[in-house]
């Protein structure tokens, strides 16, 4: 399983996301610390899930970080996270277009 | 330094300094794009802060992650409280929450 597929499986199993984007940005970080050939070292996530309701940003990130913790040992180096509830996501989309 | 000594050092640092950024590299020469972004945000707001380069001290680099239960750098602290990493600080800057937080904590910020 690729790193991206592994991330998707872990998040889907626990967060029941209504929207999930996983973008491999590793190539943009070529040669930077933590970069390795083959991708999956620098990853951007957009996770929309009702489990985030009532949680602040730090709690949401901690939840995602702990789910993906096993992958850090395997080379996942940098995560950019946008974690929203369905309501917030709708609002965000309306604002951006 | 052992784990307790590192945690004590961090606690002291975030108590003695109103705004502390644990980062890779220095504010003048950040060694990572995520650290650079937070430095840029704080500079835009005209907020004075202490930058702590974790790359100079392996025990601090690991210790700060355990301290905040946060696996990545940079990490921003305001008045002893963990605010977040690059994504959270960026989102808060865009929404204006960061400026509000700083003002509520009595720290002068532009905007």
């Amino acid at each position: 399983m690729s790193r991206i597929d592994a991330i998707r499986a872990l998040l889907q199993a626990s967060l029941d996301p209504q929207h999930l984007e996983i973008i491999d940005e590793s190539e943009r970080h070529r040669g930077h610390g933590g970069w390795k050939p083959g991708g999956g070292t620098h990853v951007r996530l957009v996770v929309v899930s009702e489990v985030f309701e009532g949680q602040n940003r730090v709690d949401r990130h901690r939840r995602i970080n702990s789910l993906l913790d096993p992958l850090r040992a395997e080379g996942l180096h940098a995560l950019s996270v946008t974690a929203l509830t369905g309501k917030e996501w709708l609002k965000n989309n309306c604002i951006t277009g | 330094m052992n784990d307790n000594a590192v945690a004590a050092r961090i606690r002291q640092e975030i108590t003695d300094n109103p705004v502390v950024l644990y980062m890779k590299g220095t504010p003048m020469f950040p060694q990572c794009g995520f650290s650079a972004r937070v430095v840029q945000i704080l500079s835009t707001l005209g907020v004075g802060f202490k930058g702590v380069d974790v790359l100079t001290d392996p025990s601090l680099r690991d210790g700060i992650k355990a301290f905040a239960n946060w696996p990545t750098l940079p990490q921003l602290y305001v008045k002893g409280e963990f605010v977040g990493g690059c994504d959270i600080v960026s989102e808060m800057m865009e929404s204006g929450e960061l400026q509000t937080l700083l003002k509520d904590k009595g720290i002068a910020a532009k905007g």
Side-chain angles (χ1 to χ4, degrees):
Chain A
M1 204 192 300
S2 77
R3 177 83 35 76
I4 301 299
D5 289 339
I7 292 171
R8 182 175 292 111
L10 286 168
L11 296 180
Q12 271 174 344
S14 295
L15 301 179
D16 187 27
Q18 48 185 285
H19 179 79
L20 176 59
E21 282 176 57
I22 307 173
I23 303 148
D24 191 340
E25 296 189 327
S26 305
E27 272 310 296
R28 281 177 46 189
H29 298 269
R30 177 177 278 273
H32 295 180
W35 180 84
K36 289 189 191 91
T41 57
H42 294 69
V43 177
R44 175 175 298 277
L45 299 178
V46 180
V47 189
V48 180
S49 168
E50 292 315 308
V51 303
F52 298 137
E53 189 67 53
Q55 291 186 343
N56 66 24
R57 288 192 178 90
V58 169
D59 292 336
R60 295 176 188 190
H61 282 234
R62 280 198 178 118
R63 179 80 194 271
I64 291 170
N65 282 329
S66 70
L67 289 171
L68 300 183
D69 206 37
L71 301 179
R72 287 183 190 279
E74 297 172 11
L76 176 62
H77 175 74
L79 266 186
S80 293
V81 175
T82 304
L84 302 168
T85 62
K87 219 183 284 175
E88 293 166 345
W89 186 48
L90 208 62
K91 205 167 108 198
N92 244 339
N93 275 347
C94 289
I95 291 166
T96 54
Chain B
M1 278 196 280
N2 64 32
D3 290 358
N4 286 340
V6 174
R9 176 218 155 140
I10 295 166
R11 205 166 290 117
Q12 191 70 47
E13 218 155 35
I14 63 176
T15 306
D16 292 349
N17 302 279
V19 183
V20 185
L21 182 66
Y22 292 89
M23 60 181 290
K24 293 183 178 176
T26 63
M28 283 294 281
F29 298 103
Q31 298 296 317
C32 153
F34 301 99
S35 290
R37 178 127 53 104
V38 177
V39 168
Q40 193 191 10
I41 287 170
L42 294 173
S43 304
T44 302
L45 293 177
V47 171
F49 66 98
K50 178 173 185 178
V52 180
D53 181 2
V54 304
L55 297 178
T56 60
D57 182 346
S59 67
L60 180 62
R61 186 174 177 173
D62 291 332
I64 190 70
K65 296 175 183 176
F67 183 83
N69 181 22
W70 195 261
T72 53
L73 288 149
Q75 294 184 12
L76 179 66
Y77 292 78
V78 175
K79 293 272 169 146
E81 276 175 38
F82 175 59
V83 176
C86 178
D87 298 325
I88 288 179
V89 172
S90 300
E91 281 178 25
M92 289 178 74
M93 172 73 176
E94 276 172 38
S95 67
E97 286 163 85
L98 184 61
Q99 297 85 326
T100 306
L101 172 85
L102 291 164
K103 279 178 188 151
D104 288 351
K105 301 270 187 190
I107 293 158
K110 295 180 211 161

